[in-house]
């Protein structure tokens, strides 16, 4: 038993090294990210990478689970966190901020002219951005008691909260990169130019001690190029909704 406990870690390292050598010969890449980000941000852009690199086979995992680079088959992951992890190489894709979105008809129905008017709204609360109280304390004159009595619906997936807001059932705080389609087609609007900076963001990560294979490096470089070229455009194209 003592002998096996000493040998087992060495065998595991040998197996891992063997697997890495085999995978270097394979033109495939495994990418993991949260489901809402995969659906709302990556899916519309995925064809761009595949058109540029048709020789690479992309495997996408949409999950809320944090990838274990030593155990799971994953080359790259996009994580929503502060970017601090000593074991990871982290590259910022997008800094995040809490922006308020709702359907244009909802703005008219509730006569939302200032953040104080949200006292009449339903707040759609997500685990990704649970910052309603902080947002309202920062941008409104409502008391804590008034804030606490505003009705709320709670969602564990931002995608569901965004859809609920799109159907005029409340107001949601969300990342701008998750609401691009709805803002473009007019099913959501940003009624107030009130944006709360956050300490977290979307980071592209991989294990620091494991060199990226060529296919994974190509995907990493493409993702960084897309994020950098789009960030400036996103900042420059904000047009506030005309209040009724």
């Amino acid at each position: 038993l003592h002998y096996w406990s000493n040998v087992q870690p060495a065998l595991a390292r040998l197996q891992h090294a063997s697997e890495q050598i085999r995978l270097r010969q394979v033109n495939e890449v495994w990418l993991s990210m949260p489901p809402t980000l995969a659906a709302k941000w990556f899916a519309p852009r995925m064809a761009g990478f595949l058109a540029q690199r048709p020789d690479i086979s992309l495997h996408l995992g949409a999950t809320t689970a944090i990838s274990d680079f030593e155990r799971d088959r994953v080359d790259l992951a996009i994580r929503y966190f502060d970017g601090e992890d000593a074991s990871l190489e982290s590259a910022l894709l997008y800094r995040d901020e809490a922006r308020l979105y709702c359907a244009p008809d909802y703005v008219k129905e509730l006569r939302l002219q200032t953040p104080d008017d949200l006292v009449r709204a339903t707040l759609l609360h997500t685990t990704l951005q649970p910052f309603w109280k902080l947002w309202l304390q920062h941008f409104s004159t409502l008391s804590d008691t008034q804030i606490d009595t505003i009705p709320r619906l709670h969602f564990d997936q931002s995608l569901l909260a965004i859809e609920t807001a799109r159907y005029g059932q409340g107001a949601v705080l969300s990342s701008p990169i998750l609401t691009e389609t709805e803002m473009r087609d007019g099913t959501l609007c940003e009624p107030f130019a009130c944006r709360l900076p956050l300490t977290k963001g979307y980071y592209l990560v991989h294990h620091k001690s494991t060199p990226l294979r060529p296919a994974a490096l190509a995907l990493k470089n493409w993702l960084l190029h897309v994020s950098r070229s789009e960030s400036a455009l996103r900042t420059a194209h904000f047009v506030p909704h005309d209040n009724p």
Side-chain angles (χ1 to χ4, degrees), residues 69-124:
F69 288 96
E70 295 183 351
R71 183 195 64 203
D72 303 332
R73 175 170 283 187
V74 59
D75 297 296
L76 298 163
I78 300 178
R79 289 187 185 174
Y80 185 77
F81 73 133
D82 60 6
E84 298 296 326
D85 189 319
S87 68
L88 298 178
E89 193 75 38
S90 301
L92 180 66
L93 291 178
Y94 295 105
R95 296 191 185 281
D96 200 21
E97 55 189 1
R99 300 189 187 185
L100 184 148
Y101 299 97
C102 49
D105 286 347
Y106 193 74
V107 175
K108 296 176 182 178
E109 179 185 347
L110 271 65
R111 304 183 304 282
L112 301 180
Q113 300 185 37
T114 72
D116 283 10
D117 296 329
L118 290 167
V119 73
R120 300 190 292 271
T122 297
L123 308 182
L124 307 179

Side-chain angles (χ1 to χ4, degrees), residues 159-172:
L159 180 63
L160 299 176
I162 292 169
E163 282 295 289
T164 301
R166 189 168 72 87
Y167 284 104
Q169 301 300 305
V172 65

